[in-house]
């Protein structure tokens, strides 16, 4: 089913800020000021996102933009980007689910109440890939795959720009709710190393963290920056005592004090980060740039506790019951390379290639496959999911008097795959009807998929300044998906500032949301037995025969 929506907003902004330092009205005034006065000049925060005409004042943008600075990031006291944005950005929500399988380890977020797959995330203006994890439990973001914001070391960030407005006509179908643009530290930043240790008031959640930011200056204001970080974050647990009987009726062990046997809280996680950011400027002015990230994460959290008397427990293996532990290994990396320059006719161009990859592999331990009886192993490789994204992008722009024109083409190829776990993680044995590894049964060979699609996008952006206080913008984007069809979206924007203290701002846009590959093809099943008949239950892709028999139609 296609979803196309019209988004409109009108905002009146009243300036209540009194300048405590020198108020600079025109950039030419800088030349007439003394050095002492120049040191006291305070300029408005700039932002790139939402316009292809370059940086402009945040409070004079055509759309609502928030900027989180490096100083705010440092003052937040948090080492996770998602928690920092939740602190500073209106409408950004980052819940922390627990006992939710994979969502415990890659937590989804929302912006303006919309799902995480409707928020586009950029690094230095280049698209960041999503996680291959499908959120299938009853949590925020159910049925979606989101970008994992916590793969980015915060020590590498100069600022974060958040556009809180529909931007599908500018950036594509996953920008319905808005855009998060992460700007990495560039030229002129000091080298620094930090280390920290923390824990909660409850005595858990012990966190050990160390990071290093190192910058090498190059000719013509070029640079090569590297950021490394290691973070070991202990689990928190806010579960209460289990008051149920744990053993058969009459067993004296039921009289023992009630124990805490569940885990409800943050995961136990070890992260290794690497972030690179570089610009090489040639004598002619051409800029070769590159940025890349790598994140290796090992994490673990509990599923639901199986009591000793639970029909799914084998007392010969776990006489007191057991808590299955889900411990995925997650590998995530991205690399963008490109070159930008200006032609003799003052047309700016920017050619780039971006590659992104995510591998989410499930492991479970302290568990069993009850159908295998006493011979069951207690740890399993349950298989996993992978997502790959490749993007080729060309941007062109030129200023003609009061008109700023920009446009470009984007070619994107995506691949999504599911690979099966070891046989004992999903098989149905002969000792019971409880098939598969408890906590997270493995993906079966019948669940394996390897699907790709291509996307071609053409876009045009125009901005006309009637004066410095009145600006009109028009953006349009055509997209064609090899598996889903095409769409054309537009956006109109306008700002008008009649007096210094008053600003009118309005936008109207159409948006289009194409389903992700994981939404179209995710499948996970378990095998059961009814009498002598075997059956499967689980989640089926929309093109699966079972799904079609139940009335499913193409998304």
């Amino acid at each position: 089913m296609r979803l196309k929506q019209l988004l409109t907003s009108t905002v009146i902004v009243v300036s209540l800020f009194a300048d405590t330092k020198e108020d600079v009205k025109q950039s030419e005034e800088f030349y007439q000021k003394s050095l002492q006065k120049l040191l006291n000049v305070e300029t408005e925060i700039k932002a790139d996102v939402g316009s292809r005409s370059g940086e402009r004042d945040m409070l004079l943008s055509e759309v609502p933009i928030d900027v989180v600075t490096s100083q705010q990031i440092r003052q937040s006291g948090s080492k996770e980007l998602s928690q920092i944005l939740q602190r500073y950005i209106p409408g950004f929500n980052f819940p922390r689910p627990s006992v939710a399988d994979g969502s415990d380890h890659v937590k989804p977020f929302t912006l303006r109440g919309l799902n995480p797959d409707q928020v586009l995330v950029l690094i230095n203006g280049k698209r960041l890939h999503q996680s291959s994890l499908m959120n299938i439990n009853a949590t925020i973001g159910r049925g979606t795959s989101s970008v994992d914001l916590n793969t980015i070391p915060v020590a590498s960030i100069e600022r974060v720009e958040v556009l809180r407005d529909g931007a599908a006509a500018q950036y594509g179908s996953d920008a319905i709710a808005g855009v998060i643009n992460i700007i990495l530290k560039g030229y002129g930043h000091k080298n620094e190393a930090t280390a920290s240790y923390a824990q909660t008031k409850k005595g858990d959640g012990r966190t050990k963290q160390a990071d290093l930011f190192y910058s090498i200056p190059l000719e013509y204001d070029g640079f090569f920056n590297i950021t490394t970080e290691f973070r070991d974050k202990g689990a928190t647990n806010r579960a209460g005592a289990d008051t149920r009987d744990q053993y058969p009726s009459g067993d004296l062990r039921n009289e023992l004090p009630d124990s805490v046997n569940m885990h409800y809280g943050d995961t136990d996680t070890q992260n290794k980060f690497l972030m690179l950011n570089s610009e090489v400027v040639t004598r002619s002015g051409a800029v070769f740039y590159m940025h890349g990230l790598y994140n290796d994460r090992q994490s673990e959290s509990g599923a639901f506790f199986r009591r000793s008397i639970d029909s799914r427990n084998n007392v010969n293996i776990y006489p007191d019951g057991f808590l299955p532990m889900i411990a995925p290994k997650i590998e995530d990396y991205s690399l963008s390379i490109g070159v930008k320059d200006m032609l003799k006719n003052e047309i700016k161009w920017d050619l780039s290639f971006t590659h992104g990859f995510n591998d989410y592999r499930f492991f479970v331990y302290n568990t069993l496959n009850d159908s295998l009886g006493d011979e069951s192993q207690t740890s399993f490789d349950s298989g996993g999911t992978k997502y790959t994204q490749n993007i080729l992008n060309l941007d062109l722009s030129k200023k003609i008097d009061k008109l700023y024109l920009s446009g470009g083409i984007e070619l994107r190829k995506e691949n999504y795959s599911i690979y099966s776990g070891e046989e004992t993680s999903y098989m149905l044995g002969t000792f019971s009807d409880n098939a598969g590894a408890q906590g997270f049964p493995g993906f079966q060979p019948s669940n394996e998929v390897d699907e790709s699609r291509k996307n071609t996008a053409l876009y045009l952006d125009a901005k006309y300044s009637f004066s410095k206080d009145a600006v009109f913008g028009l953006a349009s984007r055509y997209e064609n998906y090899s598996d889903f069809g095409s769409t054309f979206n537009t956006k109109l924007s306008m700002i008008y500032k009649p007096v210094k203290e008053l600003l009118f701002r309005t936008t109207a846009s159409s948006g289009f949301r194409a389903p992700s590959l994981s939404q179209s093809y995710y499948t996970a099943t378990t095998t059961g037995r009814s009498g002598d008949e075997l059956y499967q239950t689980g989640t089926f892709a929309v093109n699966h025969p079972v799904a079609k028999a139940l009335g499913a139609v193409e998304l």
Side-chain angles (χ1 to χ4, degrees):
M1 179 179 68
R2 292 191 177 188
L3 173 64
K4 192 160 185 174
Q5 55 185 344
L6 181 67
L7 308 171
T8 62
S9 65
T10 302
V11 177
I12 301 175
V13 180
V14 180
S15 176
L16 299 178
F17 299 99
D19 293 332
T20 58
K21 297 184 180 180
E22 198 70 29
D23 181 17
V24 180
K25 297 179 180 180
Q26 300 290 339
S27 60
E28 289 80 4
E29 293 184 10
F30 286 121
Y31 295 102
Q32 301 175 13
K33 293 186 178 292
S34 66
L35 177 60
Q36 184 62 39
K37 288 185 177 182
L38 285 174
L39 293 175
N40 290 328
V41 166
E42 189 174 82
T43 59
E44 181 59 63
I45 296 176
K46 306 293 183 180
D48 278 313
V49 70
S51 173
R52 301 184 187 276
S53 59
E55 289 187 344
R56 75 274 196 219
D57 289 351
M58 182 185 73
L59 292 179
L60 292 179
S61 64
E62 308 91 289
V63 289
I65 296 176
D66 299 284
V67 177
V68 181
T69 65
S70 57
Q71 181 179 4
Q72 290 174 306
I73 291 174
R74 189 176 297 109
Q75 292 173 345
S76 71
S78 177
K79 292 299 182 180
E80 291 188 347
L81 180 57
S82 294
Q83 292 187 15
I84 293 170
L85 296 182
Q86 181 172 250
R87 179 184 296 268
Y88 292 114
I89 303 301
F92 185 92
N93 185 26
F94 178 62
R96 290 147 74 178
S98 188
V99 199
D101 294 348
S103 300
D104 287 11
H105 312 274
V106 176
K107 298 177 175 62
F109 62 90
T110 66
L111 181 63
R112 299 201 299 146
L114 297 177
N115 278 327
D117 63 346
Q118 298 186 26
V119 182
L120 175 64
V121 180
L122 309 172
I123 296 183
N124 286 353
K126 306 302 178 183
R127 182 184 295 265
L128 183 62
H129 62 282
Q130 66 183 34
S131 169
S132 62
L133 173 71
M134 170 64 74
N135 298 298
I136 60 172
N137 287 57
T139 66
I140 293 292
R142 183 181 186 185
T144 68
S145 296
S146 66
V147 170
D148 186 359
L149 292 173
N150 293 332
T151 60
I152 303 166
V154 297
S156 66
I157 300 174
E158 179 177 293
R159 68 180 187 274
V160 182
E161 305 169 352
V162 181
L163 166 65
R164 292 183 289 112
D165 191 54
Q170 294 171 295
Y171 294 101
S173 73
D174 45 0
I176 295 290
V179 182
I180 298 174
N181 187 23
I182 301 161
I183 306 298
L184 302 178
K185 292 178 180 177
Y187 179 81
H189 288 272
K190 294 181 180 179
N191 300 330
E192 61 179 356
T194 66
S196 63
Y197 176 87
Q199 68 177 32
T200 69
K201 291 182 178 180
K202 298 286 187 179
D204 57 7
R206 292 181 179 86
T207 301
K208 294 170 284 186
Q209 179 272 342
D211 62 56
L212 170 68
F213 172 81
Y214 189 76
S215 179
I216 302 173
L218 304 177
E219 284 188 310
Y220 309 113
D221 290 346
F223 58 87
F224 180 83
N225 297 343
I226 181 170
T227 306
T228 61
E229 180 179 339
F230 172 77
R231 187 191 314 142
D232 185 351
K233 184 176 181 181
T236 61
N237 193 6
R238 299 298 175 262
D242 191 345
T243 60
R244 301 172 297 173
D245 285 346
Q246 304 293 311
Y247 305 95
S249 179
D251 193 313
L252 294 179
R253 289 176 293 178
N254 287 324
E255 304 302 321
L256 294 172
D258 296 330
S259 60
V260 176
N261 50 36
M262 278 282 294
H263 171 258
Y264 190 85
D266 290 338
T267 59
D268 187 339
T269 306
Q270 292 80 45
N271 273 290
K272 299 174 184 176
F273 301 90
L274 175 65
M275 175 66 80
L276 304 175
N277 187 33
S278 178
E279 287 188 1
V280 177
V281 185
T282 66
R283 184 186 297 272
S284 64
V287 178
F288 294 87
Y289 59 87
M290 174 274 293
H291 65 261
L293 69 86
Y294 177 80
N295 175 231
D296 176 81
R297 182 181 306 169
Q298 299 188 35
S299 183
E300 62 179 49
S301 65
F304 285 102
F305 182 76
R306 274 67 165 168
R307 293 180 293 166
S308 177
I309 57 175
D310 194 307
S311 61
R312 297 167 293 179
N313 181 42
N314 185 329
V315 294
N316 294 326
I317 300 177
Y318 297 110
D320 297 317
F322 65 99
L323 178 66
M325 299 298 294
I326 302 174
K329 294 183 179 180
I330 307 168
E331 184 181 27
D332 197 288
Y333 59 81
S334 175
L335 178 66
S336 292
I337 57 174
V339 57
K340 55 186 177 181
D341 199 358
M342 180 185 293
L343 301 177
K344 292 183 179 179
N345 55 9
E346 296 187 344
I347 294 179
K348 297 179 181 179
W349 59 272
D350 184 338
L351 178 65
S352 65
F353 173 77
T354 300
H355 172 76
F357 173 80
N358 176 265
D359 181 6
Y360 195 116
R361 187 165 195 150
F362 285 93
F363 293 89
V364 287
Y365 72 93
N366 196 49
T367 185
L368 54 78
N369 183 337
D370 187 50
S371 69
L372 300 180
D374 295 347
E375 300 303 316
S376 172
Q377 62 202 73
T378 57
S379 61
F380 300 86
D381 177 352
S382 293
T385 57
K386 292 181 181 180
Y387 176 79
T388 304
Q389 175 180 269
N390 292 297
I391 302 173
L392 183 64
N393 185 270
L394 174 63
D395 285 319
L396 301 170
S397 62
K398 179 178 176 62
K399 186 178 181 184
I400 307 172
D401 195 18
K402 296 182 178 182
L403 176 66
Y404 193 97
L405 284 175
S406 60
I409 182 171
E410 182 177 277
L411 306 176
R412 184 163 82 244
K413 183 176 182 181
E414 302 168 274
N415 177 266
Y416 173 73
S417 63
I418 299 175
Y419 53 94
S420 60
E422 58 183 312
E423 185 178 12
T424 53
S425 71
Y426 58 79
M427 70 179 296
L428 175 62
T430 59
F431 287 88
S432 77
D433 295 339
N434 300 318
Q438 294 192 43
F440 193 91
F443 290 105
Q444 304 181 22
S446 60
N447 303 144
E448 291 187 334
V449 299
D450 187 2
E451 297 288 344
S452 298
R453 76 175 176 196
K454 296 179 181 179
N455 168 265
T456 301
L458 299 171
Y459 47 89
L460 180 67
D461 202 333
K463 180 189 292 187
Y464 187 81
S465 300
F466 295 95
S467 68
K468 66 177 182 179
D469 297 321
V471 180
F472 177 80
L474 170 65
S476 59
R477 186 180 180 99
Y478 170 82
E479 287 192 278
N480 180 267
Y481 292 85
S482 60
D483 64 338
F484 194 68
S486 61
T487 180
F488 181 78
N489 295 290
T490 58
K491 181 174 184 176
L492 301 175
S493 62
M494 184 182 69
I495 58 172
Y496 177 57
K497 190 177 182 182
V499 294
K500 179 180 179 181
E501 294 80 11
L502 183 64
L503 171 70
F504 294 93
R505 178 171 64 199
T506 183
T507 64
S509 63
S510 60
F512 171 81
R513 172 64 193 147
S516 66
L517 285 175
S518 57
Q519 287 174 321
S520 295
Y521 299 107
Y522 179 82
T523 301
T525 56
T526 57
T527 304
R529 183 186 290 113
S530 178
D532 294 330
E533 298 292 329
L534 296 179
Y535 64 90
Q536 283 191 328
T537 61
T539 302
F540 296 88
V542 293
N543 63 347
H544 194 281
V546 172
K548 289 182 177 180
L550 295 173
V553 296
E554 293 293 328
L555 296 176

